[in-house]
């Protein structure tokens, strides 16, 4: 059984011994593939060092997170743009729009999102989207930009069934994480109604820790709880969830 964490910031752990321990815990639970989204210029080296340390298990992506689109966003974007040709990456991410924390830079967030979509198209890479309190804005951009090259993942999907269907109709995958294990979040009922051929799994570690470890920092080895929950909701085996969602991740990332 091979599970794929399509979205983890495990690279924030920089202690080599702890990094190795985290990776060993993943491998012990069958979590053999970890995709690492960048957030800003200062995390490029963190992402790349983790990917270099575990070349068989960790895969890098680069992008500017919408929460990091602030006054100096153009400098940030050009630093990331310069780094991209120097590294092997598997997606542009995480990118998108976040209106939960701050609406000040909405215009700039939209612009940065579109510019990075253009990079992805040029490089024939998928995009990994961060969308919080901004579904309509993100969806409008995707509709405009849709073409045969644009594809990717809606990371940490927590929307409605109707929104899920819109995402699927665009050919995107839904990234399902720890929120599916939260009793009152309602995501379980949505996931139950979606064919797993449209799903990929993620932890978003160190955030959004699944039950039964909710309240503690998240780590990629906890992906097993997300996978088990999806298996329970669909009344299928954990092995089937692992095989299908890993296959989906291979289609998206090409690896
Ligand atoms: Zn993230």
């Amino acid at each position: 059984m091979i599970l794929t964490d399509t979205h983890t910031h495990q690279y924030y752990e920089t202690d080599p011994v702890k990094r190795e321990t985290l990776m060993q815990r993943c491998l012990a639970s069958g979590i053999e593939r970890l995709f690492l989204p960048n957030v800003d210029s200062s995390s490029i080296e963190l992402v790349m060092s983790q990917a270099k340390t575990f070349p068989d298990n960790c895969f890098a992506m680069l992008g500017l997170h919408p929460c990091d689109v602030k006054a100096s966003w153009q400098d940030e974007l050009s630093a990331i743009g310069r780094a991209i040709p120097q590294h092997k990456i598997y997606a542009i991410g995480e990118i998108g729009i976040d209106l939960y924390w701050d609406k000040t830079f909405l215009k700039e967030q939209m612009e940065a999102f579109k510019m990075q979509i253009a990079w992805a198209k040029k490089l024939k890479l998928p995009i990994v989207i961060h969308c919080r309190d901004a579904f309509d804005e993100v969806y409008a951009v995707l509709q405009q930009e849709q073409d045969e090259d644009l594809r990717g993942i809606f990371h940490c999907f927590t929307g409605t069934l109707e929104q899920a269907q819109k995402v699927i109709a665009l050919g995107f995958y839904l990234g399902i994480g720890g929120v599916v294990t939260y009793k009152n979040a309602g995501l379980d009922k949505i996931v139950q109604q979606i064919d797993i051929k449209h799903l990929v799994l993620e932890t978003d570690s160190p955030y959004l820790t699944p039950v039964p470890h909710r309240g503690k920092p998240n780590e990629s080895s906890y992906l097993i709880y997300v996978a088990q929950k999806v298996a329970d909701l669909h009344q299928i085996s954990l092995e089937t969830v692992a095989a299908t969602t890993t296959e989906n991740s291979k289609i998206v990332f090409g690896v």
Side-chain angles (χ1 to χ4, degrees):
M1 181 179 81
I2 297 176
L3 282 158
T4 303
D5 187 348
T6 58
H7 196 111
T8 173
H9 301 271
Q10 195 147 287
Y11 56 81
Y12 285 136
E13 179 55 71
T14 53
D15 180 292
V17 177
K18 288 184 186 159
R19 234 183 208 191
E20 179 64 31
T21 307
L22 285 169
M23 197 64 226
Q24 288 310 322
R25 281 213 286 267
C26 285
L27 296 176
S29 294
I31 297 129
E32 294 188 15
R33 294 156 46 84
L34 279 63
F35 287 82
L36 315 172
N38 178 50
V39 292
D40 63 8
S41 63
S42 72
S43 54
I44 298 171
E45 278 320 303
L46 298 178
V47 169
M48 291 307 159
S49 90
Q50 166 115 0
K52 272 174 211 137
T53 310
F54 306 102
D56 298 330
N57 306 101
C58 293
F59 307 92
M61 23 183 161
L62 290 178
L64 179 62
H65 192 293
C67 291
D68 294 296
V69 175
K70 292 175 190 149
S72 61
W73 70 278
Q74 281 161 318
D75 295 338
E76 278 291 299
L77 207 55
S78 35
I80 294 165
R82 280 193 304 274
I84 287 174
Q86 298 168 26
H87 300 283
K88 176 69 186 154
I89 60 167
Y90 295 87
I92 301 293
E94 55 183 297
I95 64 174
I97 303 174
D98 188 315
L99 302 179
Y100 177 80
W101 296 108
D102 191 356
K103 293 187 176 68
T104 319
F105 292 101
L106 170 60
K107 204 176 113 269
E108 290 81 0
Q109 285 192 35
M110 295 274 263
E111 208 175 320
F113 186 33
K114 286 183 194 167
M115 285 170 73
Q116 295 181 91
I117 288 175
W119 294 352
K121 286 182 176 178
K122 200 171 139 221
L123 297 166
K124 303 243 185 283
L125 287 173
I127 59 173
V128 170
I129 300 173
H130 171 106
C131 169
R132 194 163 183 198
D133 282 359
F135 185 85
D136 294 341
E137 289 82 356
V138 166
Y139 185 70
V141 171
L142 294 180
Q143 268 191 316
Q144 263 174 36
E145 298 288 335
Q146 195 183 22
D147 67 7
E148 64 280 1
D149 291 325
L150 187 62
R151 63 204 163 83
I153 296 170
F154 236 79
H155 136 68
C156 188
F157 180 81
T158 52
T160 63
L161 185 59
E162 194 201 338
Q163 290 172 341
Q165 283 158 348
K166 284 179 157 179
V167 169
I168 291 166
L170 287 173
F172 276 67
Y173 288 86
L174 304 169
I176 302 300
V179 178
V180 77
T181 67
Y182 300 171
K183 254 204 175 91
N184 298 318
L187 183 63
D188 49 354
K189 288 170 195 70
I190 310 280
V191 166
Q192 211 163 25
Q193 296 173 73
I194 300 170
D195 194 311
I196 61 163
K197 73 177 185 209
H198 302 299
L199 306 183
V200 291
L201 305 181
E202 61 169 70
T203 57
D204 201 19
S205 85
Y207 317 108
L208 298 171
T209 312
V211 173
H213 296 299
R214 201 176 176 183
K216 288 191 280 182
N218 201 0
E219 56 178 75
S220 283
S221 71
Y222 296 166
L223 190 72
I224 196 82
Y225 302 107
V226 175
Q228 185 61 58
K229 181 71 188 186
V230 172
D232 294 346
L233 288 168
H234 281 267
Q235 295 181 298
I236 52 178
S237 68
L238 183 59
E239 286 73 17
T240 303
V241 170
T244 307
T245 55
T246 286
E247 186 52 36
N248 293 346
S249 75
K250 288 181 179 174
I251 296 169
V252 182
F253 293 114
V255 69

